[in-house]
């Protein structure tokens, strides 16, 4: 029998702990609402092998000790890939890593990080066309072309991504409702200069308008006329791809 997907295990623990809705659990974990964690119960939105340790710790604080049988810390931390402690090494020796720990040191460091010019209070920015760094390519993107990375600036999407953390942009995959996305706008003047970009949560997209959400600070949904939108690309969580 196949092991249940990480999203099924997340949902089972939530329900066993007595949280009948994602919204209630999200608020217990310190988030604004269900949209902050809903992807972790949808296998179409979250495909990573593990959730992040920081998220698992918040989840454990909300779930451990609740339900029948009571949810244990070990059950929650298994969602982050922590199933047993790492072996202790002797002085002068390096412990052999368990099978579930994948080394990233051999991955090619060839995904460009593009420089940005920070904009206004909405966390907007523009890409300046320069490459400021390179990061390692996850195995799942081995043959994917045109992928690039950005360093997040500002706290508008915290706690999902904090300022200084990296995200990947995949121009080859269409964005879906519920995805975190990079929205690139047309420039204000009719030339080849880059337009403003925003990294937000895609809530709605019609023929006439794109509706975006952000986490921090909480605010009304951002509505942008479709005629102003040059492109919408899905944002890939770099840590999730590496299983961090």
């Amino acid at each position: 029998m196949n092991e249940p997907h990480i999203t099924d295990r997340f949902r089972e623990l939530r329900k066993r702990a007595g949280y009948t809705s994602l919204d209630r659990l999200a608020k217990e974990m310190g988030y604004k609402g269900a949209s902050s964690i809903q992807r972790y119960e949808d296998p179409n939105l979250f495909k990573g092998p593990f959730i992040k340790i920081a998220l698992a710790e918040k989840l454990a604080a909300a779930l451990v000790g609740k339900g029948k049988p009571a949810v244990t810390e070990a059950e929650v931390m298994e969602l982050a890939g922590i199933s047993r402690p790492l072996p202790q090494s002797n002085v002068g020796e390096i412990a052999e890593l368990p099978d579930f720990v994948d080394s990233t040191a051999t991955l090619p460091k060839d995904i460009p990080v593009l420089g940005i010019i920070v904009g206004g209070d909405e966390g907007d920015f523009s890409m300046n066309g320069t490459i400021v760094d390179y990061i390692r390519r996850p195995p799942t993107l081995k043959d994917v072309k045109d992928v690039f990375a950005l360093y997040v600036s500002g706290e508008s999407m915290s706690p999902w991504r904090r300022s200084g953390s990296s995200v990947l942009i995949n121009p080859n995959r269409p964005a879906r409702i519920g995805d975190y996305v990079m929205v690139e706008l047309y420039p204000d003047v009719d030339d080849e200069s880059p337009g403003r970009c925003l990294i937000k949560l895609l809530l709605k997209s019609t023929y006439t308008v794109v509706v975006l959400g952000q986490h921090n600070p909480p605010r009304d949904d951002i509505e942008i006329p479709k005629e102003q939108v040059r492109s919408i690309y899905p944002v890939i969580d770099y840590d999730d791809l590496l299983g961090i």
Side-chain angles (χ1 to χ4, degrees):
M1 180 181 295
N2 293 332
E3 287 290 323
H5 190 269
I6 188 80
T7 53
D8 296 326
R9 291 157 57 198
F10 191 105
R11 183 185 304 105
E12 187 276 326
L13 291 177
R14 168 179 65 82
K15 290 184 175 180
R16 196 196 332 156
Y19 290 93
T20 57
S21 73
L22 270 174
D23 188 68
R24 181 179 160 217
L25 174 59
K27 291 176 180 177
E28 185 71 18
M29 294 170 65
Y31 299 118
K32 179 183 177 182
S35 62
S36 301
I37 60 172
Q38 63 186 8
R39 68 188 184 120
Y40 298 110
E41 290 196 5
D42 188 339
N44 294 316
L45 299 179
F46 184 76
K47 301 181 184 297
F50 305 116
I51 66 176
K52 289 179 286 189
I53 293 176
L55 175 65
E57 290 174 343
K58 290 184 178 181
L59 186 63
L63 300 186
V64 171
K66 299 176 182 177
K68 294 182 180 180
V71 175
T72 66
E73 183 176 10
E75 286 181 293
V76 178
M77 298 311 293
E78 281 180 357
L79 300 181
I82 302 176
S83 57
R84 61 182 186 272
L86 296 178
Q88 298 295 318
S89 60
N90 295 323
V91 176
E93 296 180 357
I94 299 177
E96 182 179 355
L97 294 178
D99 293 339
F100 67 85
V101 177
D102 294 323
S103 173
T104 62
T106 59
L107 298 177
K109 200 172 184 180
D110 63 356
I111 293 182
V113 181
L114 302 186
I116 65 173
I117 302 171
V118 179
D121 296 334
E122 290 185 345
D124 57 303
F125 60 93
S126 60
M127 292 179 287
N128 61 20
T130 62
I131 297 175
V132 298
D133 200 358
Y134 287 91
I135 60 175
R136 298 194 184 279
R137 180 178 295 270
T140 51
L141 297 177
K142 179 180 178 182
D143 299 317
V144 180
K145 298 180 179 180
D146 301 323
V147 174
F148 62 93
L150 299 169
Y151 289 134
V152 175
S153 178
E155 299 289 345
S156 69
M157 297 309 292
S158 176
W160 172 69
R161 290 280 81 184
R162 296 189 181 279
S163 184
S165 58
S166 56
V167 293
L168 294 179
I169 311 298
N170 184 3
N172 304 286
R173 201 192 84 188
R176 301 168 299 186
I177 302 303
D179 281 348
Y180 289 99
V181 296
M182 186 192 83
V183 177
E184 182 181 11
L185 305 180
Y186 285 107
D188 295 332
V189 293
D190 188 16
D191 58 22
E192 295 301 318
S193 61
R196 291 192 305 130
C197 299
L198 303 102
I199 293 180
K200 303 295 180 185
L201 182 65
L202 182 59
L203 301 177
K204 184 178 180 181
S205 180
T206 70
Y207 288 110
T208 59
V209 68
V210 171
V211 182
L212 307 173
Q214 73 175 38
H215 295 315
N216 185 35
R219 55 163 294 173
D220 293 337
D221 297 339
I222 303 169
E223 294 191 3
I224 301 176
K226 201 65 170 284
E227 62 192 28
Q228 297 180 14
V229 176
R230 170 179 278 172
S231 58
I232 303 178
Y233 297 139
V235 172
I236 310 171
D237 191 310
Y238 185 60
D239 289 351
D240 283 347
L241 286 178
L242 292 178
I244 298 174

